[in-house]
Amino acid sequence: MERRDVEIFLALTEELHFGRTAQRLHVSQARVSQTIKQLERRIGAALFERTSRRVELTPIGRRLADDIRPGYELIRAGVERAVAAGRGLAEPLRVGFSSPLAGELVLFAASAYRERHPAAGEVLLHETPLSDPFGLLRSGELDLLLAQFPVVEPDLATGPVLISDTRVLAVSTRHPFAKRPSVRVEDLAGDKVLSLSGPVPEYWLDHLLPRTTPAGRPVERGERAATRQELLALVGAGRGVHPAAAHEVRYYARPNIAYVPFDDAPPLEYGLVWRAAADTGRIRAFAEAAAETVLRQGGPGDVCAECR
């Protein structure tokens, strides 16, 4: 028996339906029927009882399934381990994240990655510093990073958008904006916008913290913070305001900080980033698993909607 014949036979013993078996294995229903008929001719006995309403195993078919399934599973597991080793999947994959929502998506993607590649190595999570988003990636301490876009670096490659979240403005509860139902980008010209210290690309900061409003008014940048806790402490103390992703409302709630939705700011987007010179099979495999996870949850705008 060819391996594909065994696979079709065992799948049919589980589905007990020719159409569902064909869909599961991505073959035609005629191919399933032909394979079973050939097996039955070779064995000299019926393996399935077929009626217009159901398909059932015969005693001989049930015995054959019990006899060959353990061997088939051993072969399948062995091939999977060989593929994993050949593609480097057996090695641990170190994935960084820059926000709580990104961290949750990494966990979901890790589960999908292990389901698709059972012999793959462990997925290890690391939070990246707010003030140095690409440092751990460039040093080789991380293989992948789920980071806030845009990322335009000659040595780094990016995947598609996996998270798209609306923006809010973090302000002190004593700030006049705290009592408003929403703000506009134009309102940023009336206050100091807290910035970030460290090797953060200027184009990245400009996307998060625009230098001018839509009407061309300058937006003043205030103090710089190296960590998220420093940033929140400055906001709570009334030393400035800071745009953020909407999901941070849940993760970084503080009694002295209000998060006011923007009416007109573009969404903040996140995606996978990796070193262009280290584009390996396991990186592509994880990226595919992450994209599949996002599609299952409705798309980039619906990822972990319950976390917002």
Side-chain angles (χ1 to χ4, degrees), residues 150-169:
V151 176
V152 186
E153 303 290 317
D155 60 326
L156 302 179
T158 60
V161 172
L162 298 178
I163 298 173
S164 180
D165 202 2
T166 56
R167 298 195 199 200
V168 296
L169 186 65

Side-chain angles (χ1 to χ4, degrees), residues 266-291:
L268 290 177
E269 297 177 331
Y270 302 74
L272 287 173
V273 184
W274 60 92
R275 298 186 306 281
D279 190 350
T280 63
R282 61 192 173 129
I283 284 178
R284 290 191 295 273
F286 188 88
E288 291 170 1

Side-chain angles (χ1 to χ4, degrees), residues 171-174 232-233 235-238 253-258:
V171 302
S172 166
T173 51
R174 301 186 303 276
L232 294 175
V235 171
R254 287 195 174 192
N256 60 346
I257 293 179

Side-chain angles (χ1 to χ4, degrees), residues 196-213:
L196 301 174
S197 61
V200 182
E202 283 299 317
Y203 67 82
W204 190 93
L205 281 175
D206 290 344
H207 180 73
L208 179 65
L209 317 170
R211 291 183 179 274
T212 60
T213 69

Side-chain angles (χ1 to χ4, degrees), residues 39-59:
L39 288 176
E40 289 177 332
R41 283 198 298 269
R42 181 174 180 180
I43 291 171
L47 301 175
F48 296 89
E49 292 180 355
R50 310 164 180 80
T51 69
S52 59
R53 296 184 178 181
R54 63 184 181 180
V55 175
E56 290 186 353
L57 278 164
T58 64

Side-chain angles (χ1 to χ4, degrees), residues 182-201:
S182 64
V183 293
R184 301 180 65 82
V185 176
E186 199 66 34
D187 295 323
L188 294 178
D191 211 323
K192 292 183 179 180
V193 179
L194 299 172
S195 188
L196 301 174
S197 61
V200 182

Side-chain angles (χ1 to χ4, degrees), residues 94-107 109 126 128 133-134 137 142-149 151 160-163 269-274 286 290 294 303:
R94 299 157 301 177
V95 185
F97 61 93
S98 60
S99 78
L101 185 57
E104 293 207 5
L105 179 56
V106 169
L107 288 173
H126 301 271
T128 56
F134 309 129
L137 188 63
L142 293 178
D143 300 301
L144 275 166
L145 171 64
L146 185 50
Q148 184 177 308
F149 283 175
V151 176
V161 172
L162 298 178
I163 298 173
E269 297 177 331
Y270 302 74
L272 287 173
V273 184
W274 60 92
F286 188 88
V294 169
V303 172

Side-chain angles (χ1 to χ4, degrees), residues 27 45 70 72 76 78 85 94 102 111 129 164 174 184 190 238 244 285 290 301 306:
V27 298
Y72 170 76
R76 189 171 67 86
R94 299 157 301 177
S111 297
S164 180
R174 301 186 303 276
R184 301 180 65 82
E306 72 277 5

